[in-house]
Amino acid sequence: MDDLRDKYLARIADASDEATLEALRVEAVGKKGEVSLAMRELGRMTPEERQVAGPKLNALKDEINSALVAKRQALADAALDERLRAEWLDVTLPSRPRRTGTIHPISQVTEEVTAIFADMGFSVAEGPQIESDWYNFDALNIPGHHPARAEMDTFYIHRAEGDDRPPHVLRTHTSPVQIRAMQDHGAPIRVIAPGRVYRADYDQTHTPMFHQIEGLAIDRDISMANLKWVLEEFVKAFFEVDDVELRFRASHFPFTEPSAEVDIRCSWEGGTLKVGEGDDWLEILGSGMVHPHVLRSGNVDPDEWQGFAFGMGIDRIAMLKYGIPDLRAFFDSDLRWLRHYGFSALDVPTLHGGLSR
């Protein structure tokens, strides 16, 4: 047994690599190793012989295993030392380039639209996303039987039993901001109201939460001609074209009279939208002259003042301008999508003051 001990401890100490060490382990204490075979001979010994040989063999096996572990650690330490001597780091080198953050397409387009209307004298107005039933519907001349007031289309805030407060909803448009702006500032007024809105709908072109921007201009002599000019200037600036043809189609909205859907002349080539040319028409927004009931809700006298309003989906015009195929991609895509459609920060005024860099 002493011969086995001396033999394997010496060979383990002389092992120069992991492969040699593993071969020694198999040869000594593996299933068919010398120590293992010696332990099988215990069954043929008398009880007295086993009491002497058994502890010695177990001690030998433990000693060889300990030597193997120690040598394996020594080899690893030596390899690390060699690597540290061979490799070095120049701390004076510049760091690796890091991916910079980008602006989400919705934020980008909101900034673009805000800057364009700011050049035409429109300021930004904001309001709560949870609105009373009155601000969201009644003040905007939307009757009680209108489909938009049904629970299948609008998210109503739950009321506990005995809570008699007026109904509240997640706003279905940013039009309530127009009412609040008129109440706060009166007339004349020229504002846009960007923000999140909510409707119970979900498919390729609809999501339960999306973004709108609405405009309102009130003065003494405002007409549909002023509305047409503002929208033409906006479309030319936003889609970066020199000329554009708009088509106003008679429509009906409870909060405007007369009302019009607005289409732009365009063409589709290879799935790419080109604005201002071609034989196709594309609807982009709704508009009209503000209904007298809406003016009265904002504490503005309709016998003295009149104005126009318009509204469009920020998500929709972002899809059109930048070729984004599915509205749902704005909300449920991974970081690779955001990097593909991300934008560098604009050097234009932000919604809350200062410059976006």
Side-chain angles (χ1 to χ4, degrees):
M1 234 178 267
D2 290 339
D3 292 341
L4 283 178
R5 177 182 178 280
D6 295 340
K7 170 185 172 182
Y8 283 109
L9 292 183
R11 293 177 65 185
I12 290 171
D14 294 338
S16 59
D17 54 54
E18 183 70 29
T20 302
L21 202 62
E22 176 62 16
L24 284 172
R25 183 195 69 78
V26 173
E27 184 180 342
V29 294
K31 183 180 292 187
K32 296 182 179 180
E34 285 193 75
V35 176
S36 300
L37 293 176
M39 295 185 76
R40 292 180 186 177
E41 296 297 323
L42 292 175
R44 298 194 180 101
M45 297 180 182
T46 64
E48 293 77 12
E49 291 173 330
R50 281 199 298 272
Q51 287 182 352
V52 175
K56 290 183 178 181
L57 284 171
N58 283 327
L60 175 60
K61 183 178 181 180
D62 291 342
E63 190 172 1
I64 291 174
N65 280 327
S66 296
L68 288 167
V69 170
K71 185 62 178 182
R72 188 173 288 112
Q73 184 61 50
L75 290 173
D77 291 344
L80 179 59
D81 289 341
E82 180 61 27
R83 181 181 173 189
L84 291 174
R85 283 192 296 269
E87 297 178 6
W88 60 281
L89 176 66
D90 186 351
V91 296
T92 65
L93 290 174
S95 61
R96 293 186 179 93
R98 299 178 64 185
R99 189 186 299 273
T100 57
T102 56
I103 293 179
H104 191 282
I106 296 300
S107 300
Q108 164 82 8
V109 171
T110 300
E111 297 286 356
E112 291 180 20
V113 173
T114 299
I116 293 169
F117 282 113
D119 286 342
M120 291 187 277
F122 287 80
S123 59
V124 174
E126 296 180 301
Q129 295 181 43
I130 297 178
E131 274 289 9
S132 71
D133 196 57
W134 186 86
Y135 274 105
N136 198 78
F137 296 121
D138 296 319
L140 295 163
N141 200 37
I142 299 175
H145 61 271
H146 195 280
R149 303 185 76 147
E151 290 190 358
M152 63 182 297
D153 289 329
T154 298
F155 295 105
Y156 280 84
I157 304 302
H158 175 71
R159 289 278 187 251
E161 186 176 351
D163 189 340
D164 297 327
R165 287 179 294 169
H168 279 66
V169 300
L170 294 180
R171 66 182 181 189
T172 59
H173 42 195
T174 57
S175 300
V177 178
Q178 299 179 8
I179 303 295
R180 293 179 178 275
M182 285 189 286
Q183 290 177 342
D184 292 341
H185 304 291
I189 190 172
R190 198 180 305 180
V191 296
I192 54 171
R196 293 187 182 92
V197 296
Y198 306 85
R199 296 180 190 175
D201 209 350
Y202 187 74
D203 58 34
Q204 187 173 359
T205 57
H206 299 85
T207 55
M209 185 277 288
F210 56 103
H211 302 81
Q212 277 189 344
I213 189 163
E214 302 195 13
L216 173 72
I218 304 293
D219 214 318
R220 297 184 189 279
D221 299 313
I222 284 183
S223 67
M224 288 287 288
N226 301 118
L227 169 64
K228 184 172 185 257
W229 179 86
V230 166
L231 294 180
E232 285 178 346
E233 291 300 304
F234 164 73
V235 171
K236 286 190 288 187
F238 180 73
F239 288 104
E240 301 176 21
V241 294
D242 295 328
D243 195 20
V244 67
E245 183 179 351
L246 299 185
R247 181 174 69 179
F248 286 71
R249 291 181 291 106
S251 186
H252 170 72
F253 304 116
F255 27 81
T256 52
E257 181 61 39
S259 303
E261 302 276 7
V262 181
D263 305 332
I264 54 173
R265 182 179 289 280
C266 65
S267 66
W268 295 90
E269 295 182 7
T272 301
L273 173 70
K274 291 188 176 181
V275 173
E277 60 182 62
D279 298 323
D280 294 327
W281 293 92
L282 179 67
E283 177 189 327
I284 59 169
L285 58 89
S287 65
M289 299 300 291
V290 181
H291 195 286
H293 177 86
V294 176
L295 293 174
R296 292 190 189 97
S297 298
N299 300 328
V300 173
D301 185 355
D303 295 326
E304 184 178 356
W305 305 93
Q306 62 188 38
F308 63 75
F310 58 86
M312 69 191 86
I314 296 176
D315 316 72
R316 176 167 169 74
I317 62 174
M319 293 170 67
L320 295 175
K321 182 172 182 177
Y322 295 109
I324 300 169
D326 193 321
L327 180 63
R328 294 168 292 188
F330 286 122
F331 311 107
D332 57 10
S333 293
D334 60 24
L335 290 176
R336 290 169 294 179
W337 182 90
L338 288 178
R339 290 176 186 138
H340 178 71
Y341 285 107
F343 298 85
S344 298
L346 287 177
D347 213 13
V348 298
T350 67
L351 295 181
H352 300 285
L355 292 179
S356 101
R357 296 286 184 183

